[in-house]
Amino acid sequence: MITRFLTNVNLRFNPFSPRSKSARLFLSLIPPGARANGLLIQSKMLPRASKEPATLEIKFKDGKQMHLDLDKMRITEVTEELDRHSRTLARKEELTGN
Amino acid sequence: MPPRLRLRPRALLIQRSPSQHSLRHGYASLATATTPAPPIEQTIKSVPPVLRYPPTQPPSHKPPEVRKSQLHRQYQSVLKASPLILIFQHNNIKAVEWMGIRRELTAALEKVDAEREKLGQELFADGIKLQVIQTGIFASALRVVEFFKPGESALDHAQYPTDPTTPTSAKVPNAQNTPDDETFAHGLSRKAHEAASNKKLKLELEPLLSGPLAIVAFPSVSPQHLKTVLSMLSPSPDFPAPRRKVNPGYHEPEIQAGLQKLMLLGARVEGKVFDQEGTRWVGGIEGGIDGLRAQLVHALQSVGGSLANALEGASKSLYFTVEGRRMDMEEKEKGDMKEE
């Protein structure tokens, strides 16, 4: 997963729901130094009884926001979705010669 | 010319002798072989039973020498021995950060123990460790602990010495050295494996057991220690982190960076599963088990008082009724006397 272009990650999930697995795996995919490099991560854990779906809100460096419903997605689908935008950003960065 | 066949007088002798023998005794079956009688010791005493495997290593279903079997055994013992287990998820914590977190945690727990030592209470700091676990093996060990209830141990099938003169009185299980034997009922036995691999049984903790996990196991439910661990590892308004002035080591950037990546998922308290709030509630019990006992005694005392009042009330009212009746009758008698 390309995390270079993320600035904000906002997660809400209920750890006791089997559908929130991809939310937890997403957290484990963030590299160890990401927080030190300016990525803001907020994870809110819901109580056990709540039926709220797991959601992910993401902001990219170019200001694009994404809302993903993690309940119905596998972790590979989540990374695909994010990487699609990250790759365009990476290409732009390459072309401007930074 | 000498003859080609040499005469071997000795060979002839041997060849001839059995034929002579058979001629002498008619049947071989009737021949009496003289075997020496067993020594008198053997006929009086029975043979001692033999244990066919090392007593600490009964044969296991999976090969016992591999790492995962040993981890399985270790996790089972952790699960059986600790009534309170906190479950954390760790997201790419570096080794340096782990080191710092563990150091601060042990320092804080030792402080708690020093306080408890003054009061003469039990000490648990040595038994409380932050441990990264292999999730799949831990889940399997939990299934064995929850679903496998061995009714009898291998020793129930032990050979008892039938004669008091047998050389040993030790109970030795009468089991073979293969995992196929039905009598084995330890955690790694085939029976345990079969009980745990029943797909119909579901663990309450199952959704939590995925991804990278770490546990803190407590040897006893001690809210005081739990409070310390919660305030160190997942601070909240109820359990505030130690202040910078009190504990400057805790606020080092390395440790703080590590703690950001550590999330409390839930807890297993005496077989029951609690979420974050439930865990905090357990940590918030004042005075631990002694405090709860005091509350119970207080409640029972107040109930007893009211019960005594109620019972007393009935007898009092009865007394008043009877007394009233007596007075009444006395007055009547007096009235009768006057009339006479």
Side-chain angles (χ1 to χ4, degrees):
Chain A
M1 193 172 71
I2 307 167
T3 53
R4 272 188 301 155
F5 302 102
L6 306 180
T7 55
N8 269 321
V9 172
N10 203 347
L11 260 176
R12 288 168 66 83
F13 65 95
N14 170 14
F16 281 89
S17 141
R19 287 166 171 276
S20 66
K21 199 172 168 181
S22 54
R24 283 171 54 200
L25 287 178
F26 177 80
L27 278 177
S28 71
L29 284 178
I30 294 168
R35 285 177 177 82
N37 297 336
L39 175 60
L40 268 178
I41 300 171
Q42 285 182 329
S43 56
K44 166 103 174 96
M45 244 172 286
L46 302 168
R48 193 179 171 189
S50 83
K51 301 273 178 197
E52 237 178 288
T55 54
L56 172 66
E57 290 172 21
I58 276 194
K59 241 187 213 172
F60 287 89
K61 270 187 182 162
D62 65 340
K64 184 184 164 84
Q65 290 194 2
M66 267 191 189
H67 292 262
L68 296 178
D69 215 3
L70 292 186
D71 251 19
K72 288 153 200 160
M73 298 170 88
R74 293 182 164 276
I75 185 66
T76 47
E77 293 166 3
V78 176
T79 54
E80 258 174 43
E81 196 83 357
L82 298 181
D83 283 357
R84 189 178 304 145
H85 190 67
S86 294
R87 274 196 299 270
T88 60
L89 288 183
R91 196 168 302 137
K92 260 182 209 165
E93 200 186 63
E94 228 170 70
L95 289 172
T96 50
N98 288 326
Chain B
M1 204 174 143
R4 289 280 172 94
L5 263 172
R6 284 187 184 170
L7 260 179
R8 290 189 298 165
R10 274 193 197 172
L12 284 174
L13 204 95
I14 291 164
Q15 268 188 351
R16 206 192 296 160
S17 54
S19 61
Q20 278 181 350
H21 224 77
S22 62
L23 278 173
R24 222 174 272 166
H25 308 277
Y27 301 100
S29 59
L30 294 181
T32 50
T34 49
T35 47
I40 198 79
E41 293 293 313
Q42 262 185 35
T43 54
I44 294 171
K45 294 177 180 176
S46 66
V47 182
V50 180
L51 189 61
R52 289 168 203 285
Y53 50 85
T56 51
Q57 301 168 5
S60 65
H61 175 58
K62 296 270 171 97
E65 65 274 8
V66 295
R67 179 179 156 80
K68 70 174 177 183
S69 302
Q70 292 304 321
L71 281 176
H72 201 277
R73 191 178 53 78
Q74 188 195 334
Y75 293 155
Q76 276 179 34
S77 84
V78 164
L79 282 166
K80 280 178 189 162
S82 34
L84 172 54
I85 295 176
L86 297 183
I87 300 173
F88 291 90
Q89 178 175 348
H90 61 94
N91 302 319
N92 297 323
I93 299 181
K94 290 179 185 170
V96 188
E97 295 163 354
W98 273 124
M99 213 168 66
I101 291 171
R102 290 202 170 109
R103 183 185 62 223
E104 289 303 317
L105 189 66
T106 45
L109 286 172
E110 271 164 16
K111 237 180 237 173
V112 173
D113 261 16
E115 275 175 30
R116 284 172 73 96
E117 201 170 13
K118 282 176 200 162
L119 300 172
Q121 288 166 319
E122 267 187 289
L123 309 179
F124 298 121
D126 292 340
I128 303 172
K129 292 259 156 40
L130 183 59
Q131 184 188 6
V132 175
I133 55 168
Q134 297 271 321
T135 310
I137 301 175
F138 187 79
S140 167
L142 185 59
R143 290 185 74 86
V144 170
V145 169
E146 292 270 310
F147 302 138
F148 178 57
K149 303 278 183 255
E152 50 197 13
S153 73
L155 271 182
D156 292 347
H157 300 273
Q159 280 181 348
Y160 286 93
T162 48
D163 194 334
T165 53
T166 35
T168 175
S169 62
K171 280 170 91 178
V172 177
N174 190 8
Q176 299 297 310
N177 190 11
T178 53
D180 304 323
D181 203 310
E182 289 280 306
T183 54
F184 290 117
H186 57 283
L188 289 181
S189 64
R190 182 156 293 166
K191 258 164 120 185
H193 175 81
E194 278 159 9
S197 54
N198 184 355
K199 289 277 185 330
K200 282 177 191 164
L201 301 169
K202 287 278 175 214
L203 282 174
E204 208 178 345
L205 215 54
E206 198 119 306
L208 286 192
L209 297 175
S210 67
L213 291 186
I215 56 167
V216 181
F218 295 74
S220 160
V221 182
S222 147
Q224 208 178 352
H225 288 95
L226 177 59
K227 207 172 172 178
T228 318
V229 170
L230 284 179
S231 67
M232 298 294 287
L233 298 183
S234 78
S236 64
D238 292 345
F239 301 99
R243 302 242 171 171
R244 193 181 291 272
K245 273 182 190 170
V246 180
N247 191 353
Y250 178 77
H251 290 274
E252 277 176 19
E254 265 172 10
I255 294 173
Q256 287 303 314
L259 288 175
Q260 281 177 349
K261 300 178 211 160
L262 200 63
M263 301 189 303
L264 176 65
L265 292 180
R268 182 178 185 265
V269 187
E270 290 179 346
K272 292 192 188 71
V273 175
F274 286 85
D275 62 345
Q276 264 191 338
E277 282 174 24
T279 314
R280 297 212 168 102
W281 171 75
V282 174
I285 295 171
E286 287 295 328
I289 190 76
D290 294 330
L292 280 183
R293 274 188 201 126
Q295 279 181 25
L296 182 67
V297 165
H298 184 74
L300 285 178
Q301 268 177 350
S302 60
V303 164
S306 63
L307 184 67
N309 266 339
L311 290 175
E312 229 175 36
S315 64
K316 258 180 194 167
S317 65
L318 182 68
Y319 170 77
F320 285 134
T321 336
V322 172
E323 189 68 13
R325 177 72 185 146
R326 194 174 67 85
M327 300 279 275
D328 202 36
M329 282 175 68
E330 271 180 6
E331 272 174 21
K332 269 186 185 171
E333 270 180 22
K334 274 176 190 170
D336 289 347
M337 292 278 276
K338 276 176 189 173
E339 275 176 19
E340 280 176 7

